[in-house]
Each structure stands twice: as structure tokens, then as C-alpha cells.
Amino acid sequence: MQEYQVSDDADLIRKLILSGHVFLRIHEHADRGILYKVKSLIGLRKTNDTENEFSVVGPKIGFTEDLDTNLHLMRTQVNIPNLVIKEVTSGKISHSRIAILYIDGLTNEQIVATVEQRIKALDFTVIFDSTQLDQLITDNSNTPFPLLLNTERRDRVTYSLIRGQVAVISDGSPYFIIGPSTLFDFFISPEDYYLPWVIGSFFRIIRIFGVIFSIIASSMYVAIMTFHYEVIPQDMLKPLIYSRLNVPFDPVLEVLFLELIIEFVREAGARLPSKIGQTLGIVGGIIVGTAAVEAALASNILIIVVCLSALASFTTPIYKMSNTIRFLRFPIILLAAYWGSLGIFIGVCFLLVHVTRLTSLGFPYMVPLFPFRPGDFSDSFIRSDYEKITDRPGFLRTQHKKFYNPKPWKRQKEWDDDE
């Protein structure tokens, strides 16, 4: 497209203005004007690649620390006049700009009013980041579970807006927070929608089972080795006894020792430069694991269990949820040390009761399981075919229920006649 053009088409003028063009009208009442294309379209694949939410398939565009750049990126993707951006100021010292994004005529007005009211009611000194804002406006600050989704991916924010959710970002932060969110939103990756629905559903199920394994794997080892030797198959009993033959600690101390080592290595790798951190994580893990087995401080079978548990905790696309999963392992390990499998059962039941009581901006956190909504299952545990996820989530109570209207078409084979 050329750098400028003269036009009197109102629809074209509106479309190009929303995409970043400048409209110059010389006379006040003139119908025609000059549309000028701005050359410096900032933020497009230069220094804003996603770092923590990487996916092999799909766009890699992330956000930066500049609010105007982030709003420009959203305008280029959601190029409709219904995209509303409300800016408010918060922070006694910082006076940070905070932008609230939603689609007018689609998003539930109650959600918009709740978010705007909570942000305006803040009496805080400095807003450093959107994730800090997340903790200030959340429904429950005493839970380890994140109640608002945070993301650095533009496609995830776009998908959330067209579903009927509200997105919030503060100046100086590369992360949007999205709400209301459910527990299943933290296991959804944008990559699921770029792959065939069978493959996308398979990967989503892998993430969910990986999280379950990560939470209970180490505690199951403690319970079995402390109370329930009878459940071990006879063929595996000998290797287990041999691996723990010279270990002087109880299973719970052995597990806590390795779990803490994993956390030490992870924290050290996260705080160091990327290349050094990767080297430290690999070399440090190998050296410490080998030394622990040779020094009879831990069994080799437990090292496998703990390493797999640590890897499974990172299967979630959202980093905040992986932190929650790693935290939950420790209380369940202690419960397993005191009461065995009964302790694990008590811990899991407590977690289920806790998450069912949580809300996100006043909406249930465990939808569609609780309250039970069968219509929303098509995009929860699995990602169904696009022909079956035509409706927006019912719990959001959007002003328009239909996501899109699929039109049936007949697949014609090459050898079919054209008659």
C-alpha cells in the first residue's frame, strides 16, 4: 500500500485509523481527507518476542514495557471500533497509567464495572507491574492459586477479549491480566488452537495429568515407603529395598532433601544469565544427583520420581500456576509422612474444597465442574472441533452467545462430477 491516499469512504477511513493511520482533513466540513501511513509501526517482531510463553506453532509477538506500544499491538489485531480502552491512574507516587480493555456490546457490563471499581478504589503507593495489580484486585489474596490469568502473548489476550473477558495492563509491564478466569484457563495454550483438535486435546490432557502427577508423585513415594509396602509388586520390592539399603534417613526427609535441592537449582538458574543458568541447571542437577546416590543420601529411584515430578510441574503454559503446583507438593508430602495414603486423600480433598470456594471477579473458579455446566465442556478438558465450540462460555453471561456461525459445506472429491 502507498504511503498516503485521498478518500471519502467513511468505512475505509475508520478501518485505516484503527489500524494506525493518520487522517488529515483540511476543511472542517469536507467529506474527503488524506490518509497517511505511519512508517514506525513499533512493536512488531523486533524486541518483543515472548520469553516465558513460547510455542512452536503460532505468532511469537509479545508485549513490551511501554503501554502505548502494547495498546497499538492490540489495535492492530482487534481492528474494530467496539474495542474500548479505558485509562485510569493509580498509585500515590507513581501515578501509573492502567488500561482496561474490553469489547463493547459483547462483554458483560458487570465484569467491566467490577474491574473498574476495584482499580479506582486502590489506595497504593507505586504500581510496578500488572502482576502486582493482580494481587491488589483479586477476590482472595490468601490462596496460592492465581485467580486472574496473566500473559505476555497477544494472541491469548485477543482470544480472551472475543470470548467476553476483560484485559488489564499497567504502564511499565509486559503482562496483561485477564479475568474472570477459571482453573482450566491455566492449562490452555494458544498452540492448542493452531493444531488439529485431536492433537490439541491430547496435549491439553497431558498437561492436566502432568499436574496431577507432579502434586502426588513424591507424596505417594513417602506413603508407600513408610506405611504401604504391601502394595509394591514383588518384582519391584527387591530394587526398592536395594536402593534404600544404605540410606540413613526416613523417606520423608529423603524426599524433602531432594525437593529442596531441585528448588535451589531452579532458583539459581532463574537468577543467573540465561546461558549460565541453563548450564548450571544441567550440570548441577547431574552432579548433585550422582553425588547424592553415591553418598547414600537418597535412593536412585527417588531421584527419578522427583525429577519427573519437577518436569511435570512445568507442563502448564502459565508460570504462576507452575509455582503453585511446586508449592502444593510440600504440604501433601508432610501429610503423607504422618498418615500415609489417608493423608494424601485428606490433602486432595482439602484442595478440591478450597478451589470450589474460590471466585474470580465474583465468578466461580471451577466452572464447568462446579457449578456443573455441560455446555462448557467442549473447551475445558479437551479442545473440541471448531464446529462444536461455536458458543462463548455460558458463565461469562456475554451479550452475544454465539462465537461464530459455522456454515456446512460439502467436501467434493476430485473425481466427482461437476454436474
Side-chain angles (χ1 to χ4, degrees):
M1 180 180 178
Q2 58 185 358
E3 293 185 0
Y4 65 90
Q5 60 176 311
V6 179
S7 176
D8 58 355
D9 187 349
D11 293 334
L12 177 63
I13 292 173
R14 181 176 59 182
K15 178 181 177 181
L16 294 181
I17 288 176
L18 291 174
S19 63
H21 288 64
V22 175
F23 178 67
L24 178 63
R25 187 171 62 180
I26 300 176
H27 300 290
E28 182 178 358
H29 301 288
D31 295 332
R32 306 179 69 186
I34 301 174
L35 286 162
Y36 182 74
K37 182 179 180 181
V38 181
K39 293 182 179 180
S40 58
L41 293 178
I42 55 177
L44 295 176
R45 303 290 290 125
K46 292 183 180 179
T47 60
N48 61 321
D49 294 351
T50 56
E51 295 182 1
N52 297 323
E53 296 180 72
F54 180 79
S55 66
V56 179
V57 182
K60 309 297 189 299
I61 297 177
F63 297 107
T64 66
E65 284 76 11
D66 182 69
L67 180 61
D68 294 326
T69 300
N70 297 332
L71 297 181
H72 161 72
L73 289 172
M74 291 306 305
R75 278 292 185 188
T76 56
Q77 183 75 37
V78 188
N79 190 9
I80 57 174
N82 291 4
L83 177 63
V84 177
I85 301 176
K86 289 186 177 181
E87 286 196 21
V88 296
T89 304
S90 182
K92 292 181 179 180
I93 298 178
S94 62
H95 298 288
S96 302
R97 297 166 56 203
I98 300 174
I100 305 172
L101 284 73
Y102 65 95
I103 297 179
D104 188 27
L106 170 63
T107 308
N108 189 342
E109 296 179 356
Q110 177 186 351
I111 302 175
V112 179
T114 301
V115 173
E116 189 173 358
Q117 179 184 4
R118 292 186 183 184
I119 293 177
K120 289 183 177 180
L122 291 178
D123 188 13
F124 206 69
T125 53
V126 179
I127 304 295
F128 291 103
D129 191 78
S130 297
T131 53
Q132 185 185 27
L133 189 65
D134 176 1
Q135 302 177 55
L136 296 173
I137 67 173
T138 188
D139 292 34
N140 186 353
S141 60
N142 297 321
T143 176
F145 289 91
L147 300 181
L148 294 175
L149 187 70
N150 66 305
T151 180
E152 61 176 344
R153 293 182 61 113
R154 184 178 68 167
D155 52 354
R156 186 187 286 273
V157 179
T158 302
Y159 182 72
S160 300
L161 289 175
I162 63 178
R163 287 180 70 197
Q165 294 170 292
V166 176
V168 180
I169 189 171
S170 64
D171 194 13
S173 173
Y175 284 91
F176 271 86
I177 57 175
I178 301 169
S181 301
T182 67
L183 181 64
F184 292 99
D185 289 339
F186 295 89
F187 300 98
I188 295 176
S189 171
E191 195 172 7
D192 297 345
Y193 301 96
Y194 304 141
L195 299 172
W197 73 270
V198 178
I199 306 299
S201 300
F202 173 75
F203 289 149
R204 188 176 297 182
I205 293 174
I206 288 292
R207 295 188 203 107
I208 295 175
F209 278 101
V211 167
I212 297 173
F213 175 83
S214 177
I215 293 176
I216 67 173
S218 300
S219 56
M220 284 294 294
Y221 176 88
V222 173
I224 291 174
M225 300 303 294
T226 306
F227 297 99
H228 310 295
Y229 271 107
E230 67 278 2
V231 302
I232 304 175
Q234 188 174 2
D235 295 337
M236 291 186 60
L237 189 60
K238 184 177 179 181
L240 279 173
I241 294 175
Y242 179 77
S243 67
R244 281 192 46 83
L245 186 62
N246 297 318
V247 177
F249 305 117
D250 292 334
V252 60
L253 296 177
E254 182 187 7
V255 170
L256 290 176
F257 172 70
L258 283 182
E259 289 283 358
L260 289 175
I261 287 179
I262 292 292
E263 293 301 320
F264 292 156
V265 173
R266 188 193 67 83
E267 282 295 318
R271 300 295 178 264
L272 291 173
S274 58
K275 294 183 179 180
I276 301 176
Q278 294 175 3
T279 305
L280 175 66
I282 297 173
V283 177
I286 294 174
I287 293 176
V288 173
T290 305
V293 173
E294 293 181 354
L297 297 178
S299 64
N300 48 12
I301 294 179
L302 176 60
I303 290 180
I304 297 174
V305 173
V306 171
C307 290
L308 290 177
S309 180
L311 289 175
S313 67
F314 290 100
T315 57
T316 56
I318 306 300
Y319 180 72
K320 291 178 67 175
M321 181 57 73
S322 65
N323 290 337
T324 300
I325 295 165
R326 293 200 305 273
F327 168 78
L328 293 176
R329 290 206 300 262
F330 288 94
I332 296 182
I333 288 172
L334 296 177
L335 289 173
Y338 281 102
W339 294 302
S341 59
L342 177 62
I344 299 176
F345 179 77
I346 293 174
V348 172
C349 289
F350 177 81
L351 286 178
L352 292 176
V353 172
H354 177 68
V355 295
T356 53
R357 292 170 58 89
L358 294 176
T359 57
S360 176
L361 299 179
F363 290 80
Y365 190 61
M366 281 294 290
V367 173
L369 288 178
F370 180 82
F372 185 71
R373 295 180 180 271
D376 293 339
F377 272 93
S378 58
D379 195 14
S380 55
F381 289 100
I382 62 173
R383 196 227 95 184
S384 301
D385 190 8
Y386 279 118
E387 296 181 357
K388 296 181 180 179
I389 51 176
T390 58
D391 294 340
R392 293 183 172 89
F395 78 96
L396 291 175
R397 298 197 293 271
T398 56
Q399 300 182 40
H400 293 284
K401 185 178 180 181
K402 281 293 181 183
F403 194 76
Y404 80 106
N405 295 315
K407 295 182 179 180
W409 56 282
K410 181 180 178 181
R411 294 177 173 85
Q412 184 176 2
K413 297 181 175 59
E414 295 181 357
W415 55 82
D416 289 346
D417 296 331
D418 294 335
E419 298 178 358

